[in-house]
Amino acid sequence: MVDMASIGAAVSSLKTATDITKTIIDISKSDEIQAKVAELNAEILSAQSSALAANADQFALLERVRELEGRIAQIESWETEKKRYQLTDFGGNTFAYVLIEDAKNGEPDHRICASCYQREKKLILQFVDVNAFNQDMDVNAFNQDMYACHACETDFKFGQRNRSVPSNQGGSWMD
């Protein structure tokens, strides 16, 4: 006769084996799931990294656009400003830009450095002195106004130099 206790023990053992098998299957599935979760996390991190790189690129492009817009504004401003000046020959091959009468807008007369003007800078020349060139020898001799550009350190002597005035010493010619 079959022992009920043995059958119960066998059923219990089979049930335990089934539970262990399910656990093994679950563990196996859990490992797969964990592997997929790890793969998914790697993809998410890669996407975040790409998004951060794209964001940094976009920021750099926006910064460049801002710089270029600023440069355009400077150029437009300079184009407007430089139309207010006219290149003038002051004699003796000395040139400077002079504020046009109609463009003064309340500003006093002044001269700006031709060299700095070419570099898109408005630098007002500062008066230094008057060169009394040949003043003692000839009442018709020209004086020269001396100016300086403190930005590019150029000295200017505006006005003609009278090259044909004889000196009082032996009839030599002054330069």
Side-chain angles (χ1 to χ4, degrees):
M1 195 154 161
V2 181
D3 185 14
M4 290 302 275
S6 294
I7 294 176
V11 168
S12 177
S13 291
L14 286 174
K15 182 168 179 9
T16 301
T18 301
D19 289 342
I20 290 172
T21 302
K22 283 183 181 178
T23 301
I24 290 172
I25 290 171
D26 287 345
I27 288 174
S28 160
K29 285 183 182 177
S30 176
D31 287 344
E32 288 176 24
I33 289 171
Q34 286 178 353
K36 290 295 181 185
V37 166
E39 187 179 331
L40 180 61
N41 282 336
E43 289 298 319
I44 290 170
L45 287 174
S46 176
Q48 285 177 334
S49 177
S50 295
L52 288 174
N55 194 22
D57 289 345
Q58 182 182 11
F59 179 77
L61 290 172
L62 289 173
E63 184 68 21
R64 182 68 176 145
V65 166
R66 188 180 63 77
E67 289 172 11
L68 292 174
E69 286 173 342
R71 180 64 180 133
I72 289 170
Q74 284 177 338
I75 290 170
E76 289 172 348
S77 175
W78 175 246
E79 287 298 316
T80 301
E81 185 66 18
K82 80 179 194 178
K83 289 177 184 175
R84 299 177 60 220
Y85 292 87
Q86 179 177 356
L87 183 62
T88 304
D89 182 353
F90 286 92
N93 292 319
T94 305
F95 297 88
Y97 283 88
V98 177
L99 186 61
I100 297 171
E101 188 68 34
D102 294 342
K104 285 187 176 180
N105 300 330
E107 289 183 68
D109 288 332
H110 60 272
R111 302 168 185 175
I112 61 174
C113 177
S115 179
C116 292
Y117 178 93
Q118 297 304 320
R119 290 190 303 266
E120 300 180 2
K121 297 187 184 318
K122 173 186 167 184
L123 292 147
I124 297 174
L125 297 176
Q126 300 299 309
F127 179 76
V128 176
D129 201 356
V130 174
N131 175 356
F133 186 72
N134 289 334
Q135 185 175 2
D136 295 333
M137 293 172 249
D138 186 350
V139 292
N140 295 320
F142 295 98
N143 293 338
Q144 293 176 309
D145 291 337
M146 298 185 314
Y147 283 77
C149 177
H150 296 297
C152 69
E153 299 181 1
T154 302
D155 294 324
F156 294 86
K157 293 178 182 171
F158 294 115
Q160 294 288 336
R161 291 182 64 171
N162 191 343
R163 300 177 70 79
S164 61
V165 177
S167 86
N168 290 335
Q169 299 177 3
S172 64
W173 297 90
M174 296 275 311
D175 185 18

